[in-house]
């Protein structure tokens, strides 16, 4: 699959918040974005890669008011924009050249106030106004640059291994100059709309704190579907955003509107939607399909649109779990040695039974990676586990075996108990601390650090009584 249109990926970027009363404008901004067959196809690809749309009237109203206010303050109030909220826990935002903007609910959950939301939306609007997206589209076309989305295993085992941790849609990145230009334009638009112009630098910092919770565990970039993979929040970029904001800072352009924003995002779904399967620690559960499995202790799991991806700390091992089409009359052993993946040792194919389910296994070899592959028939579906290791070891074999052996049916009680995590906004009471509040967070790892990231707190900041803060609850 290739990108017919170059998108401006700006994930991990702003914090959503409710907008204040719109500034005076002669007419309501136009939201009728022009559609072409190419943009419609791109729209459908984006929806399929990011979980479809997230329906929430409060959030839609919040974003609509914020966009209207920004458009009225921009140099092109005639430019139409339409924002789609994506049902994804990833922190991302991006734009099509036509003015179609996308933000994930993961970005909304990270955001802290309207000014941070406005910094994201105005940054994306700036890419449209400066025609960056169109320029990237032309360059991609001229250079025949193709962005591949790996929906099945490649015939090249080593390419397959690299794809294990990067299976979501990758947006075309902008140049450093274009990013700084979009930051500058965006801060100006936000300030003229009377939002706090320092929202951009605050959110860039928050975005980096959030990303830091996922990096350092693997050499493979786990932020591939987030903003930072193509728009690094470098110290220089934060400094530039701060310097630009100082040019606009005034009593009239200092609105954050945090309280209204927090009221709007209270109860928003956080992380993954259980209806599509979700990760809890090292365990993956799919209530709708009725199964679960657990990854090894040292693995971090990520549920992408195409597969569940696991990467071992250090990046020396990885795994992929997905569903494949195998005719009912074809044996699983025959499927594994049928040529869908090169390097398979046909003599290694073995028929198995795993927790009562028909299964088969095989090994495969690439120049840099060793593979252990399992196929398991569960009802009318066939699920595939693919384990990659730089070097075959007793540990890598044990990790593969224990993960596959953990595959089982969910009990009725487990299915009924599977519900999404949500953001809950609470008031800090006397005696509350970051540590005590983070202990109330459910279903997430590194709760204290995540609490700080969600609430825009650096490593030394403390909460104060009567502060309003976000926690994650089930």
């Amino acid at each position: 699959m290739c990108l017919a249109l170059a998108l401006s990926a700006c994930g991990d970027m702003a914090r959503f918040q409710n907008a204040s009363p719109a500034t005076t404008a002669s007419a309501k901004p136009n939201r009728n974005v022009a559609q072409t067959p190419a943009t419609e196809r791109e729209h459908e690809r984006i929806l399929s890669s990011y979980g479809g749309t997230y329906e929430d009237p409060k959030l839609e109203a919040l974003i609509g008011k914020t966009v209207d206010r920004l458009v009225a303050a921009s140099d092109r109030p005639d430019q139409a924009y339409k924002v789609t909220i994506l049902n994804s826990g990833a922190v991302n935002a991006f734009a099509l050249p036509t003015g179609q903007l996308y933000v994930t609910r993961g970005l909304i959950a990270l955001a802290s106030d309207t000014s941070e939301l406005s910094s994201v939306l105005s940054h994306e609007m700036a890419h449209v106004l400066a025609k960056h997206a169109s320029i990237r589209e032309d360059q991609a076309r001229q250079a025949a640059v193709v962005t591949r989305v790996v929906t099945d295993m490649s015939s090249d085992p080593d390419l397959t291994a690299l794809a294990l941790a990067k299976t979501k849609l990758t947006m075309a990145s902008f140049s450093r100059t274009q990013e700084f230009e979009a930051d500058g334009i965006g801060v100006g638009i936000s300030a003229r709309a009377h939002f706090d112009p320092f929202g951009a630098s605050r959110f860039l910092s928050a975005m980096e704190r959030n990303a830091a919770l996922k990096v350092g565990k693997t050499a493979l970039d786990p932020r591939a579907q987030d903003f930072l993979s193509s728009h690094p929040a470098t110290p220089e970029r934060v400094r530039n955003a701060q310097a630009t904001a100082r040019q606009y800072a005034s009593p009239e352009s200092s609105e954050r509107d945090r309280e209204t924003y927090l009221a709007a995002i209270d109860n928003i779904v956080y992380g993954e939607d259980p209806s599509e399967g979700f990760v809890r620690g090292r365990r993956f559960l799919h209530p709708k399909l009725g199964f679960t499995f657990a990854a090894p202790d040292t693995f971090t799991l990520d549920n992408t649109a195409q597969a569940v991806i696991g990467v071992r700390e250090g990046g020396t091992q990885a795994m992929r779990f997905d569903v494949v089409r195998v005719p009912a009359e074809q044996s699983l052993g025959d499927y594994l040695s049928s040529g869908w993946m090169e390097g398979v040792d046909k003599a290694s194919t073995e028929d198995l039974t795993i927790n009562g389910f028909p299964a088969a296994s095989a090994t495969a070899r690439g120049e840099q990676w060793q593979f252990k592959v399992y196929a398991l028939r569960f009802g009318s579906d066939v699920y595939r586990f693919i384990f990659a290791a730089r070097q075959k070891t007793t540990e890598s074999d044990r990790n593969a075996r224990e993960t596959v052996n953990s595959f089982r049916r969910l009990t009725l009680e487990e299915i009924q108990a599977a519900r999404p995590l949500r953001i809950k906004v609470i008031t800090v009471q006397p005696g509350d601390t970051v540590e005590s509040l983070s202990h109330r967070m459910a279903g997430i790892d590194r709760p204290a650090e995540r609490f700080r990231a969600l609430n825009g707190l650096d490593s030394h900041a403390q909460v104060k009584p009567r502060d309003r803060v976000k926690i994650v609850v089930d």
Side-chain angles (χ1 to χ4, degrees):
M1 186 187 300
C2 67
L3 287 180
L5 297 172
L7 308 181
S8 77
C10 297
D12 261 325
M13 249 196 71
R15 306 185 168 184
F16 274 51
Q17 206 175 4
N18 230 352
S20 327
T23 53
T24 302
S26 57
K28 188 173 182 178
N30 177 19
R31 294 183 188 172
N32 296 317
V33 174
Q35 293 291 337
T36 66
T39 59
E40 288 176 2
R41 287 193 300 272
E42 207 58 50
H43 176 73
E44 291 305 316
R45 278 201 284 266
I46 291 167
L47 292 184
S48 66
S49 292
Y50 283 86
T53 58
Y54 182 72
E55 306 290 343
D56 187 317
K58 285 193 303 181
L59 292 179
E60 291 162 8
L62 178 151
I63 292 170
K65 289 178 183 178
T66 304
V67 169
D68 288 353
R69 191 166 156 181
L70 293 170
V71 171
S74 75
D75 293 336
R76 286 280 312 277
D78 58 314
Q79 170 67 50
Y81 298 94
K82 181 182 178 182
V83 182
T84 299
I85 305 174
L86 298 171
N87 187 24
S88 170
V91 179
N92 216 335
F94 38 90
L96 291 175
T98 54
Q100 175 71 60
L101 310 182
Y102 300 86
V103 292
T104 61
R105 58 173 169 76
L107 186 151
I108 297 173
L110 181 64
S112 288
D113 60 44
T114 308
S115 66
E116 292 181 2
L117 163 65
S118 73
S119 77
V120 177
L121 295 174
S122 60
H123 178 100
E124 298 306 327
M125 291 166 59
H127 279 309
V128 176
L129 295 172
K131 301 189 182 301
H132 293 163
S134 298
I135 292 170
R136 294 296 294 171
E137 179 186 355
D138 291 340
Q139 290 175 343
R141 227 187 262 115
Q142 293 165 10
V145 175
V146 174
T147 300
R148 289 192 61 191
V149 176
V150 180
T151 56
D152 202 339
M153 300 310 294
S154 163
S155 60
D156 180 342
D158 291 321
L159 179 61
T160 291
L162 296 177
L164 282 166
K166 191 175 182 180
T167 60
K168 271 201 174 178
L169 189 66
T170 301
M171 305 302 170
S173 61
F174 291 110
S175 70
R176 179 175 175 276
T177 300
Q178 288 172 328
E179 281 308 308
F180 282 122
E181 183 181 1
D183 282 344
I185 295 171
V187 169
I189 293 173
S190 289
R192 288 193 297 274
H194 303 309
F195 290 116
D196 178 8
F198 290 96
S201 59
R202 285 199 311 278
F203 188 77
L204 285 168
S205 298
M207 182 171 63
E208 188 67 16
R209 280 193 295 271
N210 184 68
L213 293 173
K214 295 192 288 184
V215 300
K217 296 182 178 181
T218 172
L220 299 171
D221 184 9
R223 300 176 298 174
Q225 70 249 35
D226 282 355
F227 174 75
L228 287 188
S229 60
S230 57
H231 297 60
T234 60
E236 181 184 8
R237 190 171 170 204
V238 173
R239 288 195 298 271
N240 280 3
Q242 290 172 333
T244 304
R246 291 189 192 102
Q247 301 174 22
Y248 292 98
S250 69
E252 293 78 29
S253 63
S254 60
E255 185 176 326
R256 295 190 184 184
D257 203 14
R258 179 177 168 84
E259 288 299 320
T260 306
Y261 174 68
L262 292 179
I265 68 164
D266 193 22
N267 207 44
I268 186 176
V269 171
Y270 179 81
E272 296 161 292
D273 184 344
S275 67
E276 298 303 320
F278 62 99
V279 173
R280 287 287 186 274
R282 294 183 299 106
R283 182 168 291 281
F284 178 74
L285 306 93
H286 204 306
K288 185 186 294 184
L289 299 178
F291 67 82
T292 183
F293 68 86
D297 286 340
T298 53
F299 275 57
T300 298
L301 283 182
D302 180 28
N303 184 26
T304 76
Q306 289 79 26
V308 179
I309 305 300
V311 181
R312 185 188 185 278
E313 184 175 352
T316 57
Q317 295 178 39
M319 62 164 283
R320 174 184 173 117
F321 172 84
D322 59 14
V323 61
V324 289
R325 294 178 180 176
V326 178
E329 63 274 11
Q330 184 179 22
S331 75
L332 295 177
D334 286 345
Y335 164 71
L336 291 180
S337 57
S338 63
W340 60 272
M341 182 179 183
E342 289 184 358
V344 173
D345 178 5
K346 295 185 179 181
S348 70
T349 303
E350 181 182 2
D351 291 325
L352 306 166
T353 299
I354 297 173
N355 290 334
F357 306 115
S361 68
T363 60
R365 180 182 297 273
E367 290 183 10
Q368 300 179 39
W369 294 84
Q370 312 298 313
F371 296 88
K372 183 71 173 182
V373 187
Y374 293 85
L376 184 149
R377 202 179 292 275
F378 182 74
S380 59
D381 294 320
V382 171
Y383 293 102
R384 188 171 56 181
F385 286 91
I386 301 162
F387 299 90
R390 288 287 188 183
Q391 291 183 328
K392 182 180 178 181
T393 64
T394 302
E395 183 206 26
S396 65
D397 283 346
R398 183 178 66 250
N399 284 342
R401 187 171 58 252
E402 290 181 354
T403 300
V404 171
N405 286 336
S406 73
F407 184 96
R408 63 173 176 82
R409 293 185 189 277
L410 285 169
T411 66
L412 181 59
E413 291 76 15
E414 287 173 319
I415 292 173
Q416 292 172 339
R419 55 183 180 268
L421 299 177
R422 293 184 181 273
I423 292 290
K424 182 175 177 58
V425 178
I426 62 172
T427 301
V428 176
Q429 301 299 318
D432 284 342
T433 64
V434 168
E435 289 69 27
S436 67
L437 292 171
S438 65
H439 287 156
R440 297 170 59 179
M441 307 253 280
I444 59 172
D445 62 344
R446 302 167 71 178
E449 294 166 88
R450 205 162 293 279
F451 176 87
R452 290 184 179 279
L454 277 173
N455 290 287
L457 302 173
D458 63 30
S459 58
H460 303 295
Q462 295 298 322
V463 294
K464 300 185 295 295
R466 295 188 296 280
D467 281 352
R468 299 281 282 169
V469 295
K470 295 174 280 183
I471 62 172
V472 178
V473 299
D474 59 11

